[in-house]
Amino acid sequence: MKTQVCIIGAGPAGLLLGHLLRAEGIDCVVLERQTGDYVLSRIRAGVLETITVELMERLGLDARLKAEGLPHDGFNLADGERLIRIDMQELTGGHVVVYGQTEITRDLMDACPERGLDVIYEAAEVALHEVEGEAPYVTYRKDGREQRIDCRFIAGCDGFHGPGRKAIPAGVGKEYERVYPFGWLGILADVPPCNHELIYANHARGFALASMRSQTRSRYYVDVPLTERLEDWSDERVWDELALRLGPDAAAHITRGPSLEKSIAPLRSYVFAPMRHGSLILCGDSAHIVPPTGAKGLNLAASDVHYAAQALAAYFRRSDNDAIAAYSDKALARVWKSERFSWSLTKLMHRFPEDGPFERAMQVAELDYIASSRAAQTTIAENYIGLPV
Ligand code: APR
Ligand code: PHB
């Protein structure tokens, strides 16, 4: 098979890139290791920045997002009994939309047949070849047969563990990494949210987040040491912990219910640079990971594919190589700012095991400053709604 761009991975990054390229009349094929059902079974964060909403609008795939997404003008930082509201609308004129990121994947997946986006699921042993030249190709195994796709570019949208980034020869790239000493234990339940906006809480017992998917479905998190085992966390124990950490006001409004899903996810900050090598372009989690504090994962994938689609369109329309050459620097400039914000919000809202009284005093001072300064609140608000692309 021959195509212009072979995309590896049918997560949000790969599907969004595929649709953007199809909208430009560029031929592409998406190769995914898993089944579509498996991809949709992954529970992800639920906050969309303006760029993500705009891309769905541009593609004309925003009908469900518009109907079911909840625009949020503000969110809250809790510190014990104090609640600091960040009024994004008033401070920046912007807002975020609360809509499950898994639902974005579903909307993109459902639109594939009508938009002529070819996705090959259950593609095993995907391997990238000749990425340094102008005629790369990808091999994979499907239904027991070896297959080959020749293309002009390969887009590695295959997440943190995929083969894309690993096809870049050792010594070419640089890795930047910070692993955190805790994970987030998440619970999803069909109960109304305890508050109409999100609450990120820093409590002596640890971090907690009250989030939602709709008026009837809630998503909550508490941070736990990495040594913690899920089976030691009954639903009741999670609800008890949330009630303690989120503060008395929220606790009074928590509705408990059985968990639909419960899992522990480790936290990591990671960047691989450059995000392009020869004919291979990396987008999304294949090039970077953020801790979930701030919900930047999918939104960063969206800005990457926006830049990648622009660069690929310039190449196929005008043989413009400069846009391809500029992709990595352009994407990384925004990636680093999101990494900084996710890291700083994580530092501000979690109790690190190595922290002593001094570090805690710094958190209190920073929260006091945020509570009293419009400038500080604006900084947080403009990062939360998403920096310009
Ligand atoms: N061959 C083919 N596909 C692969 C391979 C492989 N060897 N390895 C991984 N993949 C697929 C995965 O199965 C997955 O469907 O690549 C896809 C990568 O998707 P994600 O991990 O969701 O990464 P990305 O699309 O970059 O997502 C960006 O969205 O919802 C958020 O938290 C999520 O931060 C993430 C962001
Ligand atoms: C979620 O709703 O799952 C969520 C919201 C905000 C975050 C992370 C996760 O920062």
Side-chain angles (χ1 to χ4, degrees):
M1 193 195 298
K2 213 172 160 42
T3 189
Q4 287 173 299
V5 182
C6 181
I7 299 171
I8 305 178
L15 291 176
L16 203 46
L17 179 62
H19 279 294
L20 290 170
L21 294 180
R22 291 302 303 130
E24 294 284 344
I26 297 168
D27 276 341
C28 55
V29 175
V30 186
L31 285 180
E32 167 61 50
R33 185 162 58 115
Q34 308 286 356
T35 63
D37 283 347
Y38 182 90
V39 171
L40 288 178
S41 70
R42 300 192 190 111
I43 309 277
R44 296 294 175 73
V47 177
L48 307 184
E49 290 181 0
T50 311
I51 173 65
T52 308
V53 175
E54 272 176 14
L55 289 179
M56 294 299 281
E57 278 169 0
R58 201 189 302 165
L59 290 167
L61 298 178
D62 58 330
R64 208 159 66 91
L65 169 58
K66 283 283 143 62
E68 296 173 20
L70 306 171
H72 278 210
D73 289 345
F75 70 98
N76 304 276
L77 301 176
D79 188 27
E81 301 203 349
R82 165 169 65 175
L83 201 64
I84 307 168
R85 180 164 188 268
I86 306 294
D87 189 332
M88 297 179 278
Q89 184 64 42
E90 208 259 321
L91 293 160
T92 69
H95 64 270
V96 292
V97 176
V98 170
Y99 185 70
Q101 295 182 357
T102 309
E103 301 311 310
I104 290 283
T105 309
R106 188 190 307 278
D107 294 340
L108 293 167
M109 209 183 254
D110 287 350
C112 287
E114 82 194 44
R115 302 288 168 99
L117 177 58
D118 198 4
V119 184
I120 300 170
Y121 287 98
E122 297 180 86
E125 296 168 36
V126 169
L128 296 78
H129 308 271
E130 310 274 343
V131 299
E132 291 183 314
E134 294 193 354
Y137 64 97
V138 178
T139 54
Y140 64 100
R141 185 167 279 281
K142 170 91 182 165
D143 301 328
R145 282 211 305 275
E146 181 83 12
Q147 311 276 350
R148 169 174 168 147
I149 299 179
D150 288 279
C151 53
R152 175 63 191 86
F153 290 99
I154 300 173
C157 301
D158 46 352
F160 186 65
H161 300 287
R165 186 179 69 248
K166 293 174 194 138
I168 298 180
V172 169
K174 189 169 159 94
E175 293 185 296
Y176 303 82
E177 187 167 39
R178 167 84 154 100
V179 176
Y180 299 87
F182 37 71
W184 278 18
L185 189 162
I187 186 169
L188 186 72
D190 272 337
V191 292
C194 68
N195 190 59
H196 69 288
E197 291 173 347
L198 272 63
I199 305 174
Y200 293 85
N202 178 334
H203 187 272
R205 297 180 65 89
F207 170 83
L209 168 59
S211 181
M212 67 194 76
R213 293 290 175 274
S214 68
Q215 308 290 8
T216 55
R217 181 168 284 190
S218 302
R219 179 73 166 154
Y220 289 97
Y221 301 90
V222 290
D223 79 325
V224 294
L226 285 170
T227 46
E228 212 67 16
R229 295 175 333 161
L230 198 56
E231 49 276 28
D232 293 332
W233 285 85
S234 65
D235 288 359
E236 274 319 297
R237 184 175 174 202
V238 180
W239 292 118
D240 287 344
E241 198 61 37
L242 284 163
L244 289 170
R245 296 186 187 186
L246 284 168
D249 250 25
H253 293 99
I254 289 179
T255 310
R256 298 181 179 213
S259 61
L260 302 170
E261 194 262 1
K262 196 161 51 178
S263 55
I264 298 179
L267 269 67
R268 182 198 297 271
S269 294
Y270 175 88
V271 178
F272 182 89
M275 285 175 60
R276 180 195 62 91
H277 180 65
S279 298
L280 170 62
I281 291 172
L282 301 179
C283 300
D285 279 16
S286 72
H288 42 72
I289 298 286
V290 284
T293 334
K296 295 296 180 203
L298 168 92
N299 296 301
L300 215 40
S303 61
D304 288 352
V305 301
H306 166 70
Y307 295 135
Q310 273 185 340
L312 289 164
Y315 178 87
F316 288 113
R317 234 185 275 139
R318 310 188 291 273
S319 303
D320 180 356
N321 265 311
D322 294 350
I324 299 287
Y327 166 73
S328 177
D329 285 348
K330 206 167 175 176
L332 280 169
R334 195 168 187 279
V335 165
W336 277 118
K337 293 188 195 88
S338 278
E339 289 281 350
R340 187 210 66 81
F341 179 67
S342 308
W343 164 82
S344 71
L345 199 57
T346 303
K347 292 267 288 177
L348 178 65
M349 301 309 292
H350 292 72
R351 306 285 173 111
F352 286 66
E354 68 267 28
D355 282 0
F358 178 81
E359 284 77 16
R360 175 62 193 147
M362 291 296 98
Q363 286 186 338
V364 173
E366 189 170 344
L367 286 160
D368 276 349
Y369 172 56
I370 293 166
S372 64
S373 161
R374 186 181 169 91
Q377 290 177 17
T378 306
T379 298
I380 293 179
E382 69 181 6
N383 278 279
Y384 200 84
I385 63 160
L387 296 174
V389 288

